[in-house]
Amino acid sequence: MRLASLPLAVFLLGACGSAPPAAPPARVVPKAAPAQDVAAPARPRLPKEEVAVSFDRGLWRLEGTLTLPAREEGERVPAVVIVHGSGPMSRDGVMRGQIGLGFGFQIPVYQRLADALADRGYAVYRYDKRTCGTFNDCSDGGFTSVPYTLLEVEFATTEYVLDAEAALDAVAERPEIDPDRLFFAGHSEGGELVPVLLSDRPRVRAGVMLAPPFHTMTVVLEQQSERVRWSFTMAGQPERADAESRELLAAAQALRQIERGTHLGAPILGQPPGLWESWIELARRAPDLARKLDRPLLVLGGSYDYNVAPSEIESWAKWLDGSSRAPHRVRVLDCVTHALNCITQPDATRIKPDDIGRDISPEVLAEVSRFLDTHAARAKLTEARR
């Protein structure tokens, strides 16, 4: 530090003598200027974007889209992997209605969910299910170029679990993703698989189960049979009500034969019995795995869901209420359908086209985002303390 000095003062006295020299004044040290905080240059802000991401799984190369939120350059963000419902679902999860109720339009459920969560700061990965490809044009019309003998092996539910885990691995390796803030969000059948996925992957922070069955599809098909009969009867189509109800009930009875080990091997709803058997086996495991988890689950269903009845969500609530290992949250949301949109008319016999929401219910998005925010923040705090 540089110091300033003053010249000594000299005092002249009478000629007859001189006084003792005066004590030199103390040196004055000027105060240093306050240090100026030098702000780090702001990192460039990157826009929200969609990136193609694919991964290999056995015979299949699965294609998908990673929706990245707006973020600072170099910032790592939390990520959610969406796990499909049953059937040949594309990455967008297009739904045109639910059992016994057509909407009159289609909703790309998974695309809308990804877009909404990206607006809240999450990267979201959605991919085409292995049952959705050029071999069947993503339709339920059959797997035309896949040999029947391969269906039970390649399209078993265990393969969907491994696909979801491979998808998570592909996302976690990307430089934009924080590998300590990973989540699964499953819908319908995919929701039922979330406890299995979290049990296999202890690094995943939490799981979201949207419209997940609690029981096996044997019970769910029996419930759907009753709902279809009621829906089409109320719509003035008794013949269709009877035909579709009988078809679902016959399928449920065939699944009971699978459970007892007495099924003779005929297709059930056009699918090989081995596909159903693998789903039943994992569905039986899911509740026990969920109760043993040390990480939280969010279980959401809707009062207007005809595919997975509200009673299934209530069964999850009773079951998980006995778990003290994690803060699970279970809710049945008013007006929400299997497609996660809302029907505002509470009387199902008076529904008009304008009553059917064309997007995901805001309450669903609020529940999911609050849950993710809570557990993403806890993960970041834990990491900061290490």
Side-chain angles (χ1 to χ4, degrees), residues 342-354:
C342 176
I343 297 177
T344 56
Q345 170 55 258
D347 185 347
T349 65
R350 300 173 62 186
I351 296 173
K352 297 178 180 178
D354 290 345

Side-chain angles (χ1 to χ4, degrees), residues 33 55 68 95 108 131 134 140 150 171 198 211 220 302 311 359 363 365:
F55 59 96
L68 291 166
M95 296 187 67
T131 50
T134 54
D140 285 308
L150 283 179
V171 170
L198 263 64
V220 173
S311 60
D359 207 341
E363 193 171 3
L365 294 175

Side-chain angles (χ1 to χ4, degrees), residues 11-357:
F11 295 92
L12 297 179
L13 300 178
C16 62
S18 63
R27 292 187 176 185
V28 178
V29 181
K31 293 183 179 180
Q36 298 293 321
D37 291 332
V38 179
R43 289 185 291 181
R45 187 79 177 166
L46 301 177
K48 178 180 173 183
E49 60 181 321
E50 291 191 337
V51 179
V53 175
S54 59
F55 59 96
D56 292 318
R57 267 280 298 127
L59 299 176
W60 311 92
R61 182 169 184 80
L62 301 179
E63 307 285 342
T65 300
L66 177 64
T67 305
L68 291 166
R71 65 207 181 279
E72 291 184 349
E73 188 177 72
E75 179 185 1
R76 290 191 161 197
V77 298
V80 180
V81 173
I82 295 178
V83 188
H84 321 76
S86 60
M89 300 290 283
S90 74
R91 72 190 73 180
D92 291 337
V94 176
M95 296 187 67
R96 298 171 178 82
Q98 58 183 2
I99 290 285
L101 177 64
F103 296 156
F105 56 88
Q106 62 185 31
I107 303 175
V109 179
Y110 304 160
Q111 187 274 329
R112 297 281 177 83
L113 181 61
D115 191 61
L117 291 179
D119 286 340
R120 291 160 171 80
Y122 292 88
V124 183
Y125 184 55
R126 63 192 198 278
Y127 58 96
D128 297 332
K129 196 173 179 181
R130 64 170 51 209
T131 50
C132 170
T134 54
F135 55 86
N136 68 342
D137 196 27
C138 287
S139 73
D140 285 308
F143 308 104
T144 54
S145 64
V146 178
Y148 187 85
T149 54
L150 283 179
L151 295 182
E152 292 184 320
V153 176
E154 292 299 325
F155 295 155
T157 306
T158 49
E159 293 300 313
Y160 304 149
V161 170
L162 295 174
D163 288 346
E165 292 175 354
L168 184 85
D169 293 340
V171 170
E173 291 174 355
R174 294 189 61 89
E176 307 97 335
I177 304 305
D178 183 350
D180 292 316
R181 292 186 289 164
L182 300 173
F183 303 89
F184 279 117
H187 176 242
S188 195
E189 178 189 15
E192 197 170 31
L193 300 183
V194 167
V196 180
L197 292 166
L198 263 64
S199 298
D200 288 349
R201 293 305 175 97
R203 193 174 188 181
V204 176
R205 288 288 172 175
V208 176
M209 302 166 66
L210 302 170
F214 179 81
H215 297 96
T216 67
M217 282 303 294
T218 306
V219 174
V220 173
L221 286 177
E222 290 171 344
Q223 295 169 346
Q224 290 180 354
S225 173
E226 294 176 5
R227 173 57 67 176
V228 161
R229 182 179 294 279
W230 177 87
S231 297
F232 288 119
T233 298
M234 295 301 297
Q237 303 178 51
E239 292 183 359
R240 183 176 180 184
D242 185 64
E244 296 202 12
S245 176
R246 285 177 178 273
E247 182 182 28
L248 291 173
L249 188 58
Q253 292 169 347
L255 294 187
R256 288 209 180 277
Q257 292 174 346
I258 287 179
E259 292 179 354
R260 293 193 297 262
T262 60
H263 190 264
L264 298 180
I268 303 170
L269 296 179
Q271 305 302 323
L275 298 187
W276 295 101
E277 186 175 3
S278 66
W279 188 354
I280 289 170
E281 190 275 330
L282 280 174
R284 283 173 164 171
R285 291 175 53 205
D288 285 336
L289 291 174
R291 186 179 262 182
K292 293 174 183 176
L293 282 172
D294 59 356
R295 283 150 295 145
L297 296 168
L298 172 66
V299 184
L300 296 179
S303 64
Y304 249 124
D305 191 336
Y306 292 175
N307 291 42
V308 177
S311 60
E312 291 292 291
I313 309 305
E314 291 163 1
S315 293
W316 279 112
K318 293 175 183 177
W319 181 260
L320 292 176
D321 188 51
S323 172
S324 59
R325 302 198 67 196
H328 304 305
R329 179 170 172 79
V330 184
R331 286 199 66 197
V332 175
L333 303 176
D334 288 339
C335 86
V336 171
T337 77
H338 197 66
L340 308 182
N341 60 331
C342 176
I343 297 177
T344 56
Q345 170 55 258
D347 185 347
T349 65
R350 300 173 62 186
I351 296 173
K352 297 178 180 178
D354 290 345
D355 298 325
I356 304 174

